[in-house]
Amino acid sequence: MSFFKKLKEKITGTNETVTEKFKDGLSKTRNSFTSKVNDLVARFREVDEEFFEELEELLLQADVGVETVMELIDELKFEVKRKNIKDTAGIQSIISEKLVEIYNAGDEETNELNLQDGRLNVILMVGVNGVGKTTTIGKMAARFKAEGKSVMLAAGDTFRAGAIDQLVVWGERVGVEVIRQSEGSDPAAVMYDAIRSAKNRNVDVLICDTAGRLQNKVNLMNELEKVHRVIGREIEGAPHEVLLALDATTGQNALIQAQTFKEATDVTGIVLTKLDGTAKGGIVLAIRSKLNIPVKFVGLGEGMDDLQPFDPEKYVYGLFAEGLEREEEQ
């Protein structure tokens, strides 16, 4: 049985709405990348060196990342040789299988959030301005509320004009309280107040916003370290998650941002926003490979429920949906 058919069996019976969200959200990447792979497979009857060279170029264009592409091509060559594959029929199934394997390779970390019942769970959100960080916080709050959890937000981005108001609007929309101070206040003081309030009200999840200025890296690091320290002092082991919001449409620039924030604080997971807005959705693999940080959520659209936990198998299904469905018909 091919990997495509195994994949279809595995995701059938899971939440089909979520599976469709991955398919719809990755349509731009699929229409660009997968259609070119289809053309490549149609042009080449044999799997030879020239075929691999062109496939390598397509993967690079999809922002998969140089190291990941080289690893994938090596794995494919080995598999083709091991199985004595001569023609290109079914090659997409092998590519998709290897993509899942590469994402999960040596993965001791989980895509699941580190949330536990019976404690105040603190999530620290970091990321530059304009990547959709505040929107992500609002959608996460809505998700947790729908799961029956009590949620509170902390407006720690006290430097950007309107950032506090934007979070308050989201709080009202979702129906959760936002702890805030005036613009220009010390972000660490906001976190202190928020933790005290959340403890007093037995809140399940506190999501903390932070400033996203990269103009002065030293200031950013010092500020995040201070916030991290205050949270850890008030709750042992907190923050339980440090989630970095990255804009998928910025491509390789997202990797540079990620490296900066990784140096500033202990990032535990990535939230990749606007994945539906790019034809270069391979950036998911580049981030995972280059930074060794799991992608925990992806933004697959504008709707409140379009922020979804990342699933590498649904992601690969979203990339190769048409090929999978064609193979099903054969």
Side-chain angles (χ1 to χ4, degrees):
M1 185 186 291
S2 74
F3 176 75
F4 270 165
K5 287 186 177 174
K6 289 178 188 172
L7 182 62
K8 184 71 173 175
E9 281 187 6
K10 190 166 185 179
I11 60 180
T12 299
T14 63
N15 191 322
E16 289 186 20
T17 304
V18 173
T19 302
E20 286 302 309
K21 283 185 183 297
F22 272 86
K23 182 181 174 182
D24 295 343
L26 285 159
S27 60
K28 283 192 177 179
T29 297
R30 187 170 64 253
N31 292 340
S32 172
F33 168 65
T34 315
S35 63
K36 289 175 182 175
V37 173
N38 289 338
D39 293 342
L40 181 63
V41 168
R43 282 192 292 112
F44 283 83
R45 290 191 174 182
E46 293 185 0
V47 181
D48 55 19
E49 195 60 38
E50 190 178 350
F51 172 84
F52 281 120
E53 284 178 9
E54 292 205 27
L55 178 60
E56 184 176 312
E57 183 61 31
L58 290 181
L59 289 162
L60 289 171
Q61 288 173 11
D63 261 356
V64 172
V66 177
E67 293 89 346
T68 311
V69 169
M70 291 175 70
E71 182 182 352
L72 176 60
I73 295 295
D74 286 345
E75 291 275 345
L76 287 172
K77 285 180 177 178
F78 175 79
E79 198 71 9
V80 164
K81 189 174 182 180
R82 186 177 72 85
K83 293 183 176 177
N84 197 28
I85 295 168
K86 300 296 183 185
D87 60 47
T88 55
I91 195 73
Q92 286 191 49
S93 181
I94 298 171
I95 293 169
S96 60
E97 181 177 15
K98 293 302 170 187
L99 288 175
V100 172
E101 285 179 5
I102 286 171
Y103 186 91
N104 289 328
D107 185 16
E108 294 178 4
E109 297 159 321
T110 174
N111 295 338
E112 298 286 326
L113 288 179
N114 176 26
L115 301 183
Q116 294 179 16
D117 293 335
R119 75 175 185 194
L120 171 58
N121 297 278
V122 182
I123 299 173
L124 188 64
M125 288 294 303
V126 300
V128 300
N129 298 332
V131 298
K133 180 157 52 74
T134 310
T135 300
T136 296
I137 291 170
K139 289 181 178 181
M140 284 179 68
R143 184 180 188 87
F144 294 143
K145 268 202 77 179
E147 292 171 356
K149 296 180 175 69
S150 55
V151 185
M152 186 177 281
L153 308 181
D157 184 356
T158 59
F159 292 89
R160 184 164 59 92
I164 298 169
D165 293 339
Q166 190 182 357
L167 197 67
V168 168
V169 168
W170 266 105
E172 290 171 351
R173 184 178 175 187
V174 177
V176 299
E177 187 176 358
V178 179
I179 302 301
R180 63 192 187 273
Q181 293 184 11
S182 58
E183 192 174 319
S185 301
D186 181 1
V190 176
M191 300 306 174
Y192 178 83
D193 284 353
I195 288 170
R196 287 299 173 96
S197 296
K199 279 181 174 178
N200 288 338
R201 293 168 207 186
N202 293 317
V203 167
D204 296 317
V205 184
L206 172 65
I207 310 175
C208 305
D209 193 13
T210 60
R213 299 158 303 141
L214 273 183
Q215 291 85 347
N216 188 325
K217 202 163 90 171
V218 174
N219 283 358
L220 172 72
M221 287 186 179
N222 289 343
E223 184 180 298
L224 286 176
E225 284 169 3
K226 183 180 178 183
V227 165
H228 204 288
R229 194 166 58 248
V230 166
I231 293 171
R233 192 172 64 222
E234 293 303 309
I235 301 174
E236 188 177 352
H240 304 101
E241 290 282 358
V242 180
L243 300 182
L244 170 60
L246 295 174
D247 181 344
T249 64
T250 62
Q252 294 295 311
N253 190 44
L255 285 171
I256 298 167
Q257 290 175 20
Q259 197 60 52
T260 301
F261 279 96
K262 192 179 178 184
E263 291 166 12
T265 188
D266 183 21
V267 176
T268 58
I270 303 290
V271 179
L272 196 59
T273 67
K274 309 176 193 177
L275 190 59
D276 60 307
T278 181
K280 296 189 171 186
I283 192 67
V284 172
L285 293 151
I287 287 168
R288 183 71 183 96
S289 174
K290 190 89 173 175
L291 300 171
N292 199 32
I293 302 171
V295 177
K296 299 211 172 185
F297 281 95
V298 287
L300 299 170
E302 297 295 324
M304 187 74 85
D305 62 347
D306 287 331
L307 181 74
Q308 288 291 330
F310 180 69
D311 182 320
E313 290 174 335
K314 287 186 173 70
Y315 165 74
V316 166
Y317 169 77
L319 284 179
F320 292 97
E322 279 86 357
L324 190 154
E325 285 157 7
R326 268 199 306 275
E327 190 176 291
E328 283 267 289
E329 292 166 3
Q330 292 172 2

